[in-house]
Amino acid sequence: MIFKDKSKSIPITKEQVWAAFKLVKANGGSVGVDGVSIQTIAENPEKHLYPVWNRLASGSYFPPAVKRKTISKGDGKERHLGIPTVKDRVAQMVIAKELEKVLEPIFSKNSFGYRPNKSAHQAIDQAKTNCWSYAWVIDMDIKGFFDNIDHGLMIKALRHYTDKAYIITYVKRWLKAPIQLKDGTQIQNTEKGTPQGGCDQPVTGEFILTRSI
């Protein structure tokens, strides 16, 4: 990847962006509102990734709209998923990896979702161990969690773990990113909720946000 060196105000490197793209590419996923695919970016990375780095490193990056996709939950209800553009998933990956350095060491040994070098098989093994150690189980689910995340509380929690202003700024922008509906109209996000999905599930807005609490 050929990026020209420039002095930037935020310490995000070209190498971080390139590494993030390789992870996004490995995860696969569909296109967002701009219609630009992973393959298109891979064929001309300088054209597509240089602007991502340039804007991230200068503080001028604003996420494009997230494409809404509705799926059936099988009980007559529907779930709204959000599909960011591939380039936005790259940007999210950059910040996710920065947060990972801070948050990964404090996760519970029983936590396996969306964590590096963790698998479903390891989760099953840990559950088996726990079943032999305890005579009780707590089963808990937060109804509509992603639909009701309070933006203010999310940022407050994030500030507890990082004092990097650019991380706070970009997460705020992702929380407020507009949502594009099937008919092409866009709606602005409110003070709560964030689209579930994107950035190839382990590493998107969802990845970033779930690791920030």
Side-chain angles (χ1 to χ4, degrees), residues 16-184:
Q16 283 177 278
V17 174
W18 181 239
F21 172 68
K22 289 193 289 186
L23 290 171
V24 169
K25 182 182 177 183
N27 287 327
S30 58
V31 302
V33 296
D34 62 358
V36 177
S37 68
I38 292 174
Q39 184 59 37
T40 298
I41 295 174
E43 290 172 355
N44 194 343
E46 184 175 6
K47 174 183 176 181
H48 295 284
L49 296 182
Y50 177 85
V52 175
W53 167 72
N54 189 40
R55 292 165 188 162
L56 279 176
S58 63
S60 61
Y61 182 82
F62 284 87
V66 176
K67 182 167 65 176
R68 173 175 285 181
K69 181 178 180 180
T70 302
I71 62 172
S72 173
K73 295 178 64 175
D75 56 0
K77 298 180 180 178
E78 294 181 332
R79 172 178 293 168
H80 296 307
L81 301 181
I83 304 175
T85 66
V86 176
K87 286 182 278 190
D88 193 38
R89 298 207 299 269
V90 172
Q92 290 180 16
M93 180 74 84
V94 170
I95 301 302
K97 285 299 179 182
E98 292 226 3
L99 282 174
E100 186 179 281
K101 297 174 187 176
V102 178
L103 299 177
E104 179 61 25
I106 64 176
F107 268 67
S108 165
K109 67 176 184 178
N110 293 293
S111 175
F112 292 86
Y114 307 150
R115 294 182 63 191
N117 304 314
K118 299 288 185 180
S119 69
H121 291 293
Q122 290 175 314
I124 292 171
D125 289 340
Q126 185 64 51
K128 195 183 300 182
T129 299
N130 291 348
C131 286
W132 283 108
S133 303
Y134 303 98
W136 46 268
V137 174
I138 298 177
D139 183 18
M140 187 166 49
D141 180 41
I142 302 176
K143 183 179 181 181
F145 175 73
F146 287 98
D147 294 332
N148 295 288
I149 288 176
D150 184 286
H151 292 181
L153 292 177
M154 174 61 69
I155 297 303
K156 182 179 179 180
L158 189 58
R159 289 185 189 280
H160 181 75
Y161 293 106
T162 182
D163 60 358
K164 293 182 177 180
Y166 66 91
I167 291 181
I168 303 296
T169 295
Y170 286 138
V171 172
K172 282 182 177 179
R173 290 177 186 176
W174 276 309
L175 283 170
K176 300 294 184 184
I179 299 169
Q180 183 165 304
L181 306 181
K182 190 175 181 179
D183 63 3

Side-chain angles (χ1 to χ4, degrees), residues 191-204:
E191 295 300 315
K192 68 175 185 177
T194 181
Q196 183 178 356
C199 211
D200 302 302
Q201 273 326 62
V203 206
T204 34

